[in-house]
Amino acid sequence: MARRLRFNGTGSGGTGCPSVHEDVGSGEVVVHGPPLTGTGDIAQLQHLSEGEVAVVVPRELLVDWTPKVATRQARIVGLDEFEGLFRTFSHSAWRLETRRRFASDEATDTYRQFVETGSVDWSVEDPYCELIRSQTAQGKRVERVRIVDQPPTTGQLYLLNNAKRNSGLGEDIRNLWRADADRLQLEDEDFWLFDSRLAAKLRFDDDDHLLDVELITEPAEVVRYSVIRDAAWHHAVPYEEFAARLSGGQ
């Protein structure tokens, strides 16, 4: 079975070599770069076995992009503390949604209404609406990219219907087909990124209930999430345009 390698970064100005990848399963690090070819240089290497190749990489590459510890101590917070992040962020809150369903949505009256009628009479007066409206009124950005399957699941169609309400609060919501997300090698995980300095990874159980949130401030990880954000945002389509394409059969 092929490894599941995650690109961490490159020190080459973006040309791709030398680079560091991390094995998501084992935590092993894979480094590739130009080979060491000088006979005198190779002769100085100790324990170079048959079939092994030495590569040359800048020291900064290892400092910037290799994991700093073998296992990072996860900082797990409850949903109340997580909610507080929406009150304290300074300029931007960005979300990637990759899931096919959310159990919490399916327990609501609005979800039942959507399943029965295909539309929802959304309220804009609940605490979340008031909070986001107050934040965007101050010029802060709240943005989302939602990954959608083809055909979309009921839960994804429900959220597409919901986007009109949230857009009215000042959110900027966009959508991306899962096939395009796979082509871009986006991570299949849900997270918020606050002020480009704090990532909040949402953790779900096997029944799609949100359990808790892992807060991540490690610089290399925050940069990785920022790269995901930039790629997803660049290729995603505003929800109005996406909905129009969907209804038009495109």
Side-chain angles (χ1 to χ4, degrees):
M1 180 182 296
R3 293 173 181 263
R4 183 184 169 203
L5 297 180
R6 180 177 68 202
F7 174 69
N8 280 9
T10 176
S12 62
T15 60
C17 182
S19 295
V20 171
H21 291 74
E22 186 175 349
D23 187 317
V24 175
S26 69
E28 293 176 306
V29 175
V30 179
V31 179
H32 67 82
L36 185 70
T37 57
T39 302
D41 297 330
I42 294 175
Q44 299 177 59
L45 298 178
Q46 300 184 36
H47 309 297
L48 184 67
S49 301
E50 183 178 356
E52 292 182 341
V53 176
V55 299
V56 181
V57 299
R59 178 180 292 272
E60 309 86 71
L61 181 76
L62 302 180
V63 171
D64 291 343
W65 298 112
T66 53
K68 304 304 181 292
V69 293
T71 56
R72 183 182 69 242
Q73 184 67 40
R75 179 188 170 193
I76 306 301
V77 299
L79 301 185
D80 289 341
E81 186 173 347
F82 169 60
E83 182 181 335
L85 297 175
F86 294 89
R87 304 181 185 280
T88 58
F89 76 93
S90 298
H91 54 78
S92 65
W94 190 92
R95 169 77 186 273
L96 180 67
E97 295 181 17
T98 68
R99 303 185 69 80
R100 293 171 172 84
R101 65 184 288 265
F102 294 92
S104 58
D105 286 345
E106 297 176 7
T108 62
D109 291 335
T110 53
Y111 189 88
R112 287 190 288 272
Q113 182 182 357
F114 178 77
V115 171
E116 293 170 1
T117 68
S119 62
V120 176
D121 182 18
W122 294 101
S123 169
V124 294
E125 301 304 326
D126 62 48
Y128 176 81
C129 292
E130 294 174 3
L131 173 59
I132 297 303
R133 193 162 42 227
S134 68
Q135 295 288 53
T136 57
Q138 298 176 55
K140 300 179 184 181
R141 301 195 319 275
V142 180
E143 302 165 336
R144 299 177 191 251
V145 169
R146 286 172 169 153
I147 307 301
V148 180
D149 290 277
Q150 200 166 20
T153 67
T154 301
Q156 291 165 350
L157 292 173
Y158 169 78
L159 291 175
L160 188 60
N161 187 280
N162 167 267
K164 183 177 181 180
R165 181 197 72 163
N166 281 25
S167 179
L169 306 176
E171 289 194 27
D172 190 343
I173 302 175
R174 305 185 183 186
N175 292 87
L176 184 68
W177 289 116
R178 191 173 300 278
D180 293 326
D182 291 342
R183 177 177 55 82
L184 294 169
Q185 298 183 316
L186 300 185
E187 293 290 328
D188 189 20
E189 58 184 320
D190 280 38
F191 67 89
W192 281 92
L193 187 63
F194 295 96
D195 298 329
S196 299
R197 67 171 185 82
L198 170 67
K201 181 179 178 180
L202 279 60
R203 308 199 320 168
F204 295 82
D205 65 16
D206 293 339
D207 294 319
D208 300 300
H209 292 92
L210 178 60
L211 294 177
D212 51 35
V213 178
E214 180 183 357
L215 300 186
I216 301 170
T217 56
E218 181 183 339
E221 281 292 279
V222 172
V223 168
R224 182 176 69 84
Y225 282 115
S226 298
V227 170
I228 293 172
R229 175 198 59 197
D230 291 350
W233 194 248
H234 178 75
H235 291 277
V237 175
Y239 86 90
E240 304 97 330
E241 181 181 342
F242 190 88
R245 291 182 183 179
L246 188 62
S247 63
Q250 298 183 35

